Structure formats: structure tokens, C-alpha cells
Amino acid sequence: MYNTHFRERHLGHPAEHPEAYDRCSPILEAASLTRPLLLVHGLADDNVIAAHSLRLSAALLEAGRPHEVLPLSRANHLVMRENLLRHELDFLRRALNLPAASGTGR
């Protein structure tokens, strides 16, 4: 079940306060991004639905902004895995043009 109570407690119901949701939407900021973005989404997340990450990805693509999307099956909102941390570190090294760590073989 999709978890909305936290957001609605602070922003109100989206049908009654659409301007609050627009103000908080990262989609409206997509065109202003200057660095590559990595979107990691657990497909078992009941807090943020995958369609929201895909909408952001579409906005980034439309704006010509570099990004990658990494969907994780069976992962929820609290994704913490050693291999994911390695992937994130590799992404940051590529995005920031940093050399690979010595001894990693990458």
C-alpha cells in the first residue's frame, strides 16, 4: 500500500493544495541540474512509487540532462547493500571525473 500520510501531514491533500506539491517537486528543477544524477529506486518501495522516479527521469531526458536510473527488484525505501554502495561510488567517480580507486580493478 502506498504510504502518503507523512507528506499529506505537511503539505495537505494534493487535490486541495496542488501548489505545495508543485513547490516541492524535483521534476520542476530537472532542467536546472548541471551534474549527472543517479536515480536508485527500490521497486518494492511503498513510500515512493516507481512511476515518480520514471517521471523525473523523463523530465531529465527531455531537458537533456545526464542521468542514470537503477531499479532494484525486491528492494524497499531503505536500500542499503554493499554492492549498491560500490555502484554509487563508481557513478560519482565517473560523474566527477575522478580516477578509479587503486586495487579495485575498475
Side-chain angles (χ1 to χ4, degrees), residues 15-74:
E16 297 169 5
H17 303 282
E19 71 286 348
Y21 286 79
D22 288 344
R23 234 184 2 258
C24 297
S25 175
I27 292 172
L28 300 178
E29 302 296 325
S32 66
L33 292 179
T34 58
R35 296 213 184 242
L37 183 66
L38 174 63
L39 299 173
V40 179
H41 197 104
L43 297 178
D45 189 340
D46 66 351
N47 194 19
V48 178
I49 58 175
H52 291 174
S53 289
L54 295 176
R55 283 180 58 208
L56 178 55
S57 175
L60 291 165
L61 188 62
E62 172 120 358
R65 299 301 182 235
H67 71 288
E68 295 178 17
V69 179
L70 179 61
L72 300 174
S73 62
R74 299 184 308 265

Side-chain angles (χ1 to χ4, degrees), residues 1-7 41-52 72 74-79:
M1 185 131 143
Y2 184 49
N3 178 352
T4 62
H5 70 276
F6 182 80
R7 179 175 298 149
H41 197 104
L43 297 178
D45 189 340
D46 66 351
N47 194 19
V48 178
I49 58 175
H52 291 174
L72 300 174
R74 299 184 308 265
N76 62 20
H77 196 70
L78 301 173
V79 178

Side-chain angles (χ1 to χ4, degrees), residues 70-102:
L70 179 61
L72 300 174
S73 62
R74 299 184 308 265
N76 62 20
H77 196 70
L78 301 173
V79 178
M80 292 300 294
R81 297 188 179 138
E82 184 177 347
N83 288 336
L84 174 58
L85 293 175
R86 282 194 198 107
H87 184 85
E88 292 168 339
L89 184 57
D90 287 344
F91 173 83
L92 289 171
R93 286 187 177 122
R94 284 184 282 115
L96 299 173
N97 293 317
L98 299 174
S102 60

